[in-house]
Amino acid sequence: MVIQHLDDDLRPAICIFYLVLRGLDTIEDDMTIPNETKIPLLQKFDTFLSQPGWTFTGSGPNEKDAHLLVEFNVVISEYLKLKPAFQTTIADITRKMAHGMTEFMTRKVETLKDWDLYCHYVAGLVGIGLSKIFSDSGLESPDVGRREELSNSMGLFLQKTNIIRDYLEDYDQGRIFWPKEGWSLFVSDPSKDLGEFKRPENSQQALNCLNYLINNALNHIPDVIEYMSQLKNQSVFNFCAIPQVMAIATLSACYNNHGVFEGVIKIRKGEAVKLIIQSRSMTNLLAIFDDHLRRMDSRILTNGNKINQETTSIIQTTLKKTIAPRYVRSPFQFSLALFVGLVSTFGIVFFLNKETLLERL
Ligand code: MG
């Protein structure tokens, strides 16, 4: 949905970028392909982009996106129509991501540094590539593409949020993305694993660990705000803002919430639509961050432990140093935006296929 709403100059490039990485990820996720086949396939994946007609039919029966690889020749022929600068960025990011994926096939996310590196490979690189495409299209300034640290943080904020939220689903499928350096601080016996947090007797330690990782993710917010404030094109702004507001809403819903260890914490559909509609300007984006950070802060007990105190300190610093200089809280402006948003929500729900739109969110 966000790709479809991009300006004409960007839509094909971003769409192909997405499909190429989706193809790469379909191979990475396929547990029926043995590593000795998978690793060279991933490492050569960027070179297939310059081989018209290349397809892959070796996916396992349960890969829902296998048809993308079966008809990958279509993606390649569209890729080859893109302007050279876009092609270079897409191939370059694909190559780097594939190498990162193979690196983490042979080792785990142990340290907090590994966590940043893993998230850089699977999400930060996407942010860096997108920013280069925005700049090369001429719709954004060259600085957007150049300031890679900010683009990387945009990706890390989203990826860490997903990893934190998906604790249970990932653990139950044998995948562990919570960094051991972080979670081992909260289990008494270091030989035990992450599954300890599901036990009722460990619920307080589980919450402490959850909040500790959320604190880590919250530290990316100043970069996110800095990145967003550079953007000039409305379609690029919306494209970038939507996942970011979903992420802050998700983190705020997960904070100190034992539900993360019991099921999936989801943003209510109405809330999601409201966020999408509100996040169309820098002022509203700041208002959403301000609102969620304050909500989180208000739920922290004043006599909380060290981790809770750290959350308060991160939130207060972010509000004061990052959000306040750019944003003066105005209840009228925000409620006006809310009113316009709610009216538009009825329109969207009425005119579009509600399930398709909302399920995709
Ligand atoms: Mg994957």
Side-chain angles (χ1 to χ4, degrees):
M1 186 192 73
V2 285
I3 293 173
Q4 281 174 343
H5 287 90
L6 282 165
D7 283 2
D8 294 348
D9 297 348
L10 284 170
R11 200 183 309 112
I14 305 291
C15 177
I16 296 302
F17 189 25
Y18 169 72
L19 291 173
V20 168
L21 297 182
R22 165 82 27 236
L24 180 77
D25 191 46
T26 301
I27 294 178
E28 190 221 8
D29 291 349
D30 192 335
M31 289 307 167
T32 68
I33 305 175
N35 279 2
E36 54 272 27
T37 314
K38 190 188 282 187
I39 291 173
L41 207 50
L42 292 174
Q43 287 174 338
K44 278 189 291 189
F45 200 81
D46 65 300
T47 66
F48 301 145
L49 295 173
S50 46
Q51 292 177 32
W54 183 87
T55 60
F56 179 74
T57 51
S59 297
N62 296 328
E63 285 308 312
K64 61 178 172 37
D65 292 325
H67 61 282
L68 170 64
L69 293 167
V70 171
E71 295 181 63
F72 206 72
N73 55 318
V74 181
V75 178
I76 294 171
S77 72
E78 293 303 316
Y79 165 85
L80 292 171
K81 290 179 198 163
L82 299 173
K83 69 177 192 181
F86 292 162
Q87 290 187 28
T88 307
T89 300
I90 294 172
D92 186 45
I93 298 295
T94 304
R95 189 184 68 254
K96 289 177 177 161
M97 189 184 288
H99 281 81
M101 283 171 166
T102 57
E103 183 185 330
F104 278 95
M105 278 165 63
T106 51
R107 70 186 186 97
K108 286 186 183 150
V109 178
E110 295 274 350
T111 63
L112 291 169
K113 225 173 134 194
D114 288 344
W115 203 35
D116 278 9
L117 186 63
Y118 174 78
C119 292
H120 163 73
Y121 287 142
V122 300
L125 282 171
V126 181
I128 291 169
L130 286 169
S131 301
K132 284 208 166 43
I133 293 174
F134 298 154
S135 292
D136 287 336
S137 74
L139 293 173
E140 295 295 347
S141 84
D143 268 350
V144 173
R146 249 182 247 138
R147 299 179 73 184
E148 294 192 359
E149 269 316 299
L150 297 183
S151 307
N152 190 52
S153 255
M154 292 281 283
L156 263 57
F157 185 61
L158 304 183
Q159 190 68 21
K160 287 179 178 178
T161 300
N162 287 349
I163 288 176
I164 291 167
R165 180 200 56 197
D166 293 340
Y167 162 85
L168 193 65
E169 195 185 329
D170 284 338
Y171 183 78
D172 287 347
Q173 293 181 27
R175 295 185 302 236
I176 290 180
F177 296 113
W178 282 27
K180 190 171 186 183
E181 185 186 346
W183 63 257
S184 61
L185 297 171
F186 304 94
V187 292
S188 45
D189 178 354
S191 67
K192 296 271 175 66
D193 84 344
L194 205 52
E196 286 301 291
F197 291 147
K198 288 204 283 183
R199 296 168 172 273
E201 65 269 28
N202 295 330
S203 64
Q204 188 54 51
Q205 288 300 70
L207 283 177
N208 290 343
C209 182
L210 171 68
N211 298 340
Y212 173 86
L213 293 181
I214 292 177
N215 285 349
N216 179 301
L218 291 176
N219 281 312
H220 292 291
I221 292 177
D223 283 349
V224 169
I225 302 294
E226 179 75 23
Y227 181 92
M228 292 303 299
S229 66
Q230 304 176 97
L231 300 178
K232 289 186 276 214
N233 177 275
Q234 186 67 51
S235 81
V236 172
F237 187 90
N238 299 346
F239 178 90
C240 296
I242 290 171
Q244 298 295 332
V245 294
M246 295 298 204
I248 185 63
T250 302
L251 285 181
S252 121
C254 289
Y255 193 81
N256 213 31
N257 182 349
H258 201 266
V260 172
F261 303 95
E262 297 157 22
V264 186
I265 302 293
K266 279 195 174 164
I267 306 296
R268 284 176 293 118
K269 288 178 180 179
E271 167 90 1
V273 175
K274 203 171 82 181
L275 286 169
I276 290 174
I277 289 158
Q278 281 176 347
S279 61
R280 287 181 184 158
S281 72
M282 196 60 205
T283 310
N284 287 354
L285 183 87
L286 290 166
I288 292 167
F289 271 90
D290 182 275
D291 178 43
H292 281 287
L293 291 172
R294 283 177 201 279
R295 268 196 233 181
M296 280 172 72
D297 199 32
S298 69
R299 298 207 317 267
I300 300 167
L301 298 172
T302 41
N303 60 351
N305 61 24
K306 209 172 129 237
I307 292 156
N308 298 146
Q309 286 162 10
E310 198 187 303
T311 312
T312 300
S313 140
I314 296 169
I315 290 176
Q316 292 305 333
T317 313
T318 309
L319 287 172
K320 216 157 108 191
K321 292 196 176 156
T322 308
I323 298 194
R326 293 181 163 89
Y327 167 63
V328 182
R329 298 180 85 202
S330 157
F332 172 72
Q333 197 172 21
F334 198 52
S335 53
L336 184 68
L338 185 63
F339 175 74
V340 172
L342 286 173
V343 170
S344 318
T345 306
F346 285 115
I348 284 190
V349 169
F350 187 76
F351 287 111
L352 295 176
N353 179 334
K354 185 180 161 197
E355 281 312 306
T356 314
L357 171 73
L358 296 178
E359 286 309 319
R360 276 166 191 276
L361 300 177

